[in-house]
Amino acid sequence: MKSKTMKFLIGLIGVVVLYQGAKWGWGETAQAYFNYRCEQDAGEFIYRTVEDVEGVFQMRPREQGEYFSRLRRGDLMEDPYGHTNTEAQRPWTLFLRHPSKPTYHFFETSQAPDLQEYDLGVSTREFSKRPEPAGQPYWRMTYDGLRRRVKSDLYWTMLRPEQVSEIKSQYGFTWRQVRNRWDKYFGIIGGELIIKKLDTDETLGIRRGFFFWPSWSKRGGICPKRKHDYITVEFVSKVLKPAPFDDSFLKEKEYGY
């Protein structure tokens, strides 16, 4: 009886060792493959730059939902590397950044401002008036004026939201997931930010990044390493260089809230 029990325990230990070894080997292979994808395929690829661009069009708004809450639930974004909360919720604040640089003159998107947040007072500092839907497919954001911060010599730049039937941007940007069968096998999700000339569909630049989060391992990572709220406008402005911005028309104004 003792002999059978001992054999069973030895066999069980052997299975555990084999399992842990296989898991470790799989993890090492996945890490090596992720490193390969990063070295070979990640980064910025600029084919042509354009000078003096006044405005840009967001061709595909980002998914909604709070980024870190979704990560904690294991509910990954379609492009977790390129996704940021600011671009998903208020992309115009990234591209209209006066007095910071770079800044464009206007920003266009099909994404409507969050009117509920506006009415609750969360985003009133962004707009000079309440965004009013007019049944048109696009929103155009432009500069309106300056609002002095309370008890401060600093100002908020106020934006004018307007719903329009047609865009006037000549250039735009979009995004997509890139993922082959080996990426899926090893828990890797790739994403591309793509900059286009709208009338010809010419691709001017691509930024590609990878997110590594295998469900069966504690390993993880992103590449390129540098990820922050401004990664989209940072790359877009390298390709579509903003025209000089004359802020002489921006005056301090009183707003009704």
Side-chain angles (χ1 to χ4, degrees), residues 43-221:
E44 298 179 350
F45 308 91
I46 298 175
Y47 309 118
R48 182 165 74 87
T49 61
V50 182
E51 301 287 337
D52 297 328
V53 176
E54 293 190 348
V56 293
F57 174 51
Q58 182 189 41
M59 301 165 66
R60 184 187 180 192
R62 291 282 180 176
E63 300 170 81
Q64 296 302 300
E66 206 281 326
Y67 181 76
F68 297 103
S69 296
R70 288 187 59 173
L71 285 185
R72 284 192 291 270
R73 297 196 303 268
D75 177 23
L76 299 183
M77 305 290 186
E78 186 178 340
D79 172 22
Y81 175 80
H83 186 103
T84 67
N85 283 335
T86 303
E87 184 184 346
Q89 297 164 10
R90 298 180 180 86
W92 40 85
T93 64
L94 301 175
F95 291 81
L96 304 180
R97 302 174 58 197
H98 178 78
S100 300
K101 303 294 180 182
T103 189
Y104 292 93
H105 297 196
F106 63 89
F107 177 81
E108 295 176 317
T109 179
S110 60
Q111 178 176 329
D114 189 327
L115 300 183
Q116 181 179 7
E117 284 198 356
Y118 185 92
D119 291 337
L120 290 173
V122 174
S123 57
T124 52
R125 71 188 183 109
E126 296 176 2
F127 300 121
S128 58
K129 62 177 183 179
R130 186 182 190 276
E132 296 295 343
Q136 304 299 334
Y138 308 111
W139 285 88
R140 182 180 300 139
M141 310 296 179
T142 54
Y143 291 105
D144 183 70
L146 301 175
R147 179 186 181 194
R148 187 187 297 271
R149 299 191 185 201
V150 177
K151 298 180 181 179
S152 171
D153 290 330
L154 301 176
Y155 293 87
W156 285 325
T157 302
M158 307 300 288
L159 304 179
R160 182 193 302 271
E162 178 186 11
Q163 205 170 26
V164 296
S165 60
E166 296 181 355
I167 62 172
K168 64 178 183 179
S169 300
Q170 295 180 316
Y171 304 93
F173 65 95
T174 186
W175 62 274
R176 67 180 181 183
Q177 183 183 102
V178 289
R179 201 179 193 196
N180 62 35
R181 67 187 184 96
W182 291 111
D183 291 342
K184 294 178 182 178
Y185 187 72
F186 289 124
I188 297 167
I189 305 176
E192 289 182 342
L193 178 69
I194 308 163
I195 302 174
K196 296 275 191 179
K197 189 174 189 296
L198 297 178
D199 60 349
T200 64
D201 201 40
E202 175 190 1
T203 297
L204 305 177
I206 295 174
R207 186 209 65 213
R208 187 179 300 118
F210 294 94
F211 185 90
F212 179 40
W213 193 333
S215 59
W216 38 264
S217 171
K218 294 183 179 180
R219 296 170 186 265

Side-chain angles (χ1 to χ4, degrees), residues 225-239:
K225 293 291 187 183
R226 193 164 173 264
K227 175 180 166 71
H228 50 79
D229 260 1
Y230 294 95
I231 56 172
T232 293
V233 68
E234 188 178 77
F235 180 62
V236 171
S237 62
K238 287 182 182 178
V239 180

